[in-house]
Amino acid sequence: MAAGKPAGKILILATESCAYPGADAVGQGHMSYPANTYVLRVKAPVLFPEKFYLDCFDKGIAGIIIMSCGVECPYEGAYEALAKRIDRVYELMKERGWDIRRLRLTAICTVCTRAFINEVKQMHDLVAELGPPGQEQQLAAAGSA
Amino acid sequence: MSTPESPKETTGTGKVGVYVCYCGGNISDQVEVEKVCESLRQLPEVGVARSNMFMCSDPGQELIIEDIKSGKVDRVVIASCSPRLHETTFRSAISRAGGNPYLYEHANVREQVSWVHHGSEATAKANRLVAAAVAKAALSEPLQPIRVDVQQRAAVLGGGVAGMKAALELADRGLEVILIERSPFLGGQVARLRHLAPFGEDAAAVIAELAGRVQEHPAITVQTCAQVEGFDGYIGQFRLQVRRRPPEAEEYADQLAAGSAAGAQLGDVVPFVGIMPQRLPENLEEQEITVGAIILATGMRPYQPLRGEYGYGDLPQVLTLPEFTRLWHAARSQRQGDLLVVQGRRIRHLAIIHCVGSRHIPGVHDEGGRGYLNEYCSRTCCTASLYTANLIRQTYPNTRVYEFYRDMRAFGRGQEELYAQASDSQVMFFRFRAGEEPQISPTSEHPTAPVLIRVKDVLTFNEELEVMADLVVLAVGQEANPVPGLVELMKLPVGADRFLLEVHPKLRPVEVAVAGIYLAGTCQAPFDVGETCSAAAAAAVKAAAVLTRGYVELDPFVAEVDLSRCQGTGACVEACLADGALTMVDMTVDGQNVRRAQVNPALCLGCGACVAVCPHNAINVKGWTLKQYEAMVDAIVAEDLAA
Ligand SMILES: Cc1cc2nc3c(=O)[nH]c(=O)nc-3n(C[C@H](O)[C@H](O)[C@H](O)COP(=O)(O)OP(=O)(O)OC[C@H]3O[C@@H](n4cnc5c(N)ncnc54)[C@H](O)[C@@H]3O)c2cc1C
Ligand code: SF4
């Protein structure tokens, strides 16, 4: 990782039946990725209300990747409910002037090691570009001034 | 081995015990374990923070047990390998110490830290993840596992060697077994072999013995032409919809005709087909069965070369090993002297090509029409080739045998001897590099003319050699036999090689992530028959351990309503994904008659769809509450955590 200012923190909500074992598989393959990433094991990310995401950004988390099971979700209907919720979170983020790319909904399987690394790298580059949450408003304000 | 013990002093006032594992260097090579302990001791929730060379070892577990017994610790955080490996180990250690096994959190600092990050970054990240686990543990409530009665019956899917062996192991332990086989026959792929390398057992005799015992065993019910088409439930109480249907017009037509031609009765071995233990169903038969455990023994399929691969399909002189085995059987019965004669053709020179359909290398080999590569070694084909070569040399000394191999993998008892024997009996070896496979071309239009094999031979320092052969045998490997229906229904993990995936290749080799479902035989990976039987016996013993206990304890991670917060909005009931798991019921709370949400723990999936929609956060999944996640995020963003 580039030296200097530490990169913003990235929260990864990883499902216990797909993405969490996927993250383990990345480790078993000794494939390196940026260390500003914190994986939280979840049964299903449908558990989190809109406010949880907004609070995370308020607390200073720079990016959130939801690594779900996608259509492979063991809880039928959960993925669809999650996708709808994330759309609402995007609306709320826009209202706050936040870049919605800070929140990403993906599907990562137990062996999707390359996809895992790609997602992490992309979010890492994005938060490096955007800075801490809220910075984009300042940038926009500076731009329009 | 010396165990690095941390000093015991602590500035914490809480009773969270933190235990950080060195994992014999796997973690400590990157993460400064003592520094993590030191930093964690600063947290007010933490009572003790210790390290050990191997936390999963007896001395490691003893540390936790002693701390709980002495009252220093009432909840535990382990920082080690993935919780998927040792969560149950540590829960049971806590129980043995008299603690509640759910007052426990896990920080994954091996797969998700030391194996992917280096140096100070790894230590800093480990620190935060352990601090987050402490924050969660501090908010944990003691929970009781949900106890479910077990149906003392197992379903075994697949009637090859693995399925039959697993069924017998279970039945011999007094357990009822339903053996479900898709085809009309028992025996699987072994029924298509003649002799079993390396020792040469008669394949038909092996399956006849197993199938005979299976049919006679009073505890085993066999259902052929049957498949599982519906599935729900959980360990101890799986419900399966089983359908038996008559084969479609062309399905199994050749095999059934072979049986009739041989005048085989039910239970007889039909060479290269298997054993038909019961009549074909006349109509569709549907049945629901309830079982406590499921063993998957759906096997593999031999690799089928693409048209044109080594001339296969274009040149009649090119056959696969299973095809040759059948012809060999016919040739033996019409033996004509010291020269092998196949379909009337005299075979003076026979070539065997190894690694057909196995050990593909991305960028070197082409997916062809398959859409995938088989990157693994099939493990049985070198030995089967050597066995075949020896057999030919012994039986028909005037037939020369050439083996074209990439690497020789004759591991295991009795296999090296086959290799030595092949050299002694003048089998000639040529070695090729990946991407420089032998090229086969016809020498004339005539289908009986020999073919020309060109190879760049590593053994003669890359000399380009040409060999004529009357017959080319392709040593095809083992491919996954896809079972998409079962994968979909049971949410089974599938590896990159398309075989079913175990939880851990070393520590939990016959279990899948779904509790109560076990893997037996080649549905998991290429195995020979001996290895298949070992795996099947292991799966059966695992299943028997669950079934004979009579009950299982399930994690209590289901929704729970906090009646002090619930206002009866009913939003959770609407959001719930499992029918009947959440309902609104009339009840009395604080002397008031109210309508509130109620959870049926047996039906709740624990997904948390209800949690997100409650405006009062009055419903949570036990062990995974929203407050706990918020506390973890707080620990991750905390400014003051020494790195
Ligand atoms: C070319 C070749 C040569 C070999 N030579 C040797 C040798 O010399 N020595 C040796 O030890 N091993 C040899 N082997 C390996 C041997 O064939 C396997 O070890 C053995 O067949 C594995 O048995 P199994 O029961 O796991 O699978 P299989 O034999 O594949 O049996 C699986 C069974 O499951 C059934 N099934 C599949 N799907 C379903 C479903 N959805 N529901 C119900 N039933 C289902 C199938 O119909 C089949 O009956 C060889 C393999 C190959 C390919
Ligand atoms: S066992 Fe031998 S022939 Fe088969 S894939 Fe492995 S190396 Fe190749």
Side-chain angles (χ1 to χ4, degrees):
Chain A
M1 218 194 317
K5 217 167 138 287
K9 292 188 170 121
I10 298 169
L11 195 67
I12 298 177
L13 303 173
T15 49
E16 65 171 359
S17 44
C18 309
Y20 194 89
D24 282 351
V26 172
Q28 279 151 12
H30 294 261
M31 299 157 86
S32 179
Y33 56 89
N36 56 332
T37 43
Y38 299 89
V39 176
L40 297 188
R41 187 162 54 132
V42 301
K43 279 163 79 72
V46 71
L47 175 139
F48 299 106
E50 290 81 346
K51 186 171 176 302
F52 175 82
Y53 300 100
L54 303 176
D55 287 351
C56 285
F57 291 126
D58 277 338
K59 288 172 185 174
I61 294 285
I64 304 176
I65 314 175
I66 306 169
M67 295 192 173
S68 72
C69 301
V71 286
E72 298 290 293
C73 176
Y75 309 107
E76 211 177 317
Y79 181 73
E80 291 72 15
L82 170 68
K84 277 197 195 135
R85 177 155 316 115
I86 297 309
D87 283 343
R88 284 196 295 276
V89 180
Y90 286 148
E91 290 309 313
L92 297 167
M93 289 175 74
K94 281 187 210 155
E95 281 172 23
R96 284 166 173 72
W98 293 344
D99 195 313
I100 61 165
R101 289 174 300 164
R102 290 185 187 277
L103 173 62
R104 194 160 150 70
L105 173 58
T106 62
I108 298 287
C109 70
T110 53
V111 292
C112 291
T113 50
R114 280 182 214 147
F116 178 96
I117 299 271
N118 277 346
E119 289 296 342
V120 167
K121 290 217 164 117
Q122 279 174 28
M123 186 58 89
H124 177 77
D125 292 347
L126 182 79
V127 299
E129 177 198 320
L130 293 179
Q135 183 112 328
E136 54 267 58
Q137 287 155 300
Q138 291 168 20
L139 286 177
S144 63
Chain B
M1 190 181 354
S2 74
T3 300
E5 277 283 341
S6 316
K8 306 276 189 304
E9 305 84 64
T10 167
T11 56
T13 52
K15 285 200 169 180
V16 178
V18 174
Y19 303 88
V20 189
C21 186
Y22 274 61
C23 194
N26 271 297
I27 293 169
S28 56
D29 283 354
Q30 300 300 335
V31 174
E32 288 184 70
V33 170
E34 296 312 322
K35 223 168 153 182
V36 174
C37 289
E38 191 46 51
S39 151
L40 268 292
R41 281 190 202 104
Q42 314 304 317
L43 297 179
E45 300 92 337
V46 172
V48 297
R50 302 183 195 283
S51 60
N52 191 274
M53 188 55 82
F54 293 106
M55 272 314 299
C56 58
S57 67
D58 284 348
Q61 294 184 45
E62 266 317 303
L63 286 182
I64 310 171
I65 293 175
E66 274 170 31
D67 285 345
I68 293 176
K69 282 191 172 160
S70 69
K72 279 194 206 123
V73 160
D74 68 1
R75 52 202 64 213
V76 168
V77 166
I78 310 279
S80 66
C81 53
S82 172
R84 300 190 316 128
L85 299 180
H86 281 305
E87 206 163 39
T88 39
T89 313
F90 295 120
R91 284 223 171 101
S92 89
I94 297 168
S95 295
R96 289 202 305 281
N100 184 286
Y102 296 97
L103 292 175
Y104 155 62
E105 243 331 288
H106 201 102
N108 181 344
V109 296
R110 192 181 74 179
E111 282 81 349
Q112 296 183 13
V113 178
S114 65
W115 280 355
V116 286
H117 310 305
H118 308 288
S120 61
E121 278 188 342
T123 304
K125 178 163 169 180
N127 237 337
R128 283 202 186 267
L129 288 180
V130 184
V134 167
K136 185 175 180 220
L139 295 177
S140 296
E141 299 282 344
L143 301 174
Q144 296 309 321
I146 302 170
R147 197 181 250 234
V148 200
D149 287 341
V150 159
Q151 289 283 341
Q152 292 190 313
R153 185 183 304 125
V156 176
L157 276 51
V161 166
M164 291 195 286
K165 173 78 178 160
L168 286 167
E169 290 287 341
L170 284 163
D172 287 345
R173 285 171 172 76
L175 294 159
E176 196 185 328
V177 183
I178 301 170
L179 179 60
I180 298 165
E181 164 58 47
R182 184 166 63 181
S183 76
F185 308 100
L186 293 175
Q189 294 298 336
V190 173
R192 297 178 193 166
L193 305 175
R194 181 76 190 88
H195 297 283
L196 297 180
F199 297 113
E201 296 89 350
D202 184 327
V206 167
I207 58 160
E209 184 187 329
L210 285 171
R213 285 196 55 216
V214 161
Q215 287 168 280
E216 280 164 18
H217 209 300
I220 303 178
T221 311
V222 178
Q223 301 216 0
T224 52
C225 301
Q227 285 200 73
V228 170
E229 297 190 357
F231 165 89
D232 63 21
Y234 38 80
I235 179 170
Q237 298 282 347
F238 291 112
R239 267 200 312 274
L240 306 180
Q241 306 294 332
V242 183
R243 290 209 180 108
R244 279 194 84 209
R245 56 162 65 86
E248 307 276 329
E250 289 304 306
E251 220 186 2
Y252 307 110
D254 292 347
Q255 291 97 316
L256 292 167
S260 307
Q265 304 291 312
L266 291 182
D268 288 351
V269 179
V270 180
F272 299 103
V273 172
I275 292 164
M276 202 162 130
Q278 62 186 159
R279 288 185 197 294
L280 301 177
E282 286 175 7
N283 302 302
L284 178 68
E285 298 169 10
E286 289 188 87
Q287 194 194 352
E288 180 176 295
I289 59 170
T290 315
V291 296
I294 297 171
I295 293 185
L296 297 172
T298 51
M300 50 84 192
R301 59 183 188 197
Y303 176 76
Q304 189 59 27
L306 301 172
R307 190 182 180 108
E309 191 175 356
Y310 294 104
Y312 184 80
D314 294 333
L315 303 173
Q317 300 90 332
V318 182
L319 301 172
T320 65
L321 184 55
E323 288 163 352
F324 173 71
T325 306
R326 276 189 89 146
L327 294 177
W328 164 267
H329 186 60
R332 283 294 318 261
S333 46
Q334 302 150 20
R335 188 178 168 132
Q336 300 178 13
D338 283 349
L339 193 67
L340 171 65
V341 179
V342 171
Q343 292 178 319
R345 289 172 46 218
R346 296 156 70 79
I347 311 297
R348 290 192 176 78
H349 305 276
L350 182 144
I352 302 177
I353 300 181
H354 287 222
C355 292
V356 178
S358 307
R359 303 180 68 212
H360 293 139
I361 301 174
V364 173
H365 296 114
D366 205 12
E367 287 186 358
R370 285 181 302 261
Y372 56 81
L373 293 175
N374 294 332
E375 294 180 39
Y376 54 85
C377 164
S378 287
R379 304 174 75 253
T380 45
C381 19
C382 276
T383 317
S385 301
L386 290 169
Y387 184 88
T388 305
N390 289 339
L391 198 63
I392 297 169
R393 292 294 298 144
Q394 281 160 11
T395 324
Y396 302 106
N398 289 345
T399 299
R400 308 286 318 258
V401 180
Y402 310 118
E403 290 212 37
F404 294 80
Y405 71 102
R406 244 171 82 186
D407 294 293
M408 190 57 76
R409 298 199 167 159
F411 55 88
R413 206 195 300 157
Q415 303 196 13
E416 182 62 19
E417 287 85 334
L418 285 184
Y419 189 22
Q421 196 188 336
S423 306
D424 288 347
S425 55
Q426 276 119 38
V427 172
M428 243 160 108
F429 290 96
F430 302 85
R431 186 170 184 189
F432 62 91
R433 281 207 180 83
E436 296 179 348
E437 281 73 18
Q439 299 297 313
I440 305 199
S441 45
T443 51
S444 98
E445 296 274 293
H446 206 275
T448 58
V451 291
L452 179 70
I453 307 176
R454 283 200 191 85
V455 68
K456 204 190 226 184
D457 177 36
V458 178
L459 302 178
T460 51
F461 305 100
N462 297 328
E463 209 173 312
E464 305 256 3
L465 300 178
E466 292 187 347
V467 180
M468 300 286 260
D470 302 298
L471 199 67
V472 178
V473 177
L474 305 180
V476 290
Q478 302 185 29
E479 269 199 324
N481 173 29
V483 281
L486 296 177
V487 166
E488 171 78 25
L489 284 174
M490 300 181 182
K491 306 287 177 215
L492 300 172
V494 178
D497 56 11
R498 304 180 330 284
F499 286 91
L500 298 177
L501 192 66
E502 67 287 324
V503 174
H504 189 281
K506 303 270 194 294
L507 301 174
R508 294 171 67 188
V510 296
E511 292 163 75
V512 295
V514 189
I517 303 185
Y518 306 94
L519 300 178
T522 53
C523 58
Q524 180 182 15
F527 290 141
D528 72 9
V529 172
E531 292 165 330
T532 296
C533 286
S534 303
V541 168
K542 272 292 210 192
V546 168
L547 299 181
T548 48
R549 193 161 63 153
Y551 68 89
V552 282
E553 290 187 333
L554 303 182
D555 282 337
F557 305 139
V558 291
E560 181 181 48
V561 178
D562 177 351
L563 287 175
S564 70
R565 286 169 164 260
C566 179
Q567 303 290 312
T569 63
C572 55
V573 178
E574 262 174 55
C576 178
L577 301 171
D579 282 347
L582 261 178
T583 41
M584 295 304 285
V585 294
D586 294 324
M587 60 173 84
T588 314
V589 177
D590 295 334
Q592 306 274 318
N593 289 337
V594 288
R595 215 169 152 68
R596 295 287 183 257
Q598 193 175 59
V599 179
N600 179 343
L603 295 177
C604 175
L605 307 170
C607 65
C610 52
V611 177
V613 297
C614 178
H616 310 289
N617 190 216
I619 190 162
N620 266 291
V621 175
K622 289 197 255 181
W624 306 79
T625 68
L626 212 43
K627 286 269 168 300
Q628 287 178 306
Y629 279 110
E630 287 164 3
M632 282 196 277
V633 174
D634 290 340
I636 287 167
V637 297
E639 293 286 341
D640 55 348
L641 194 74

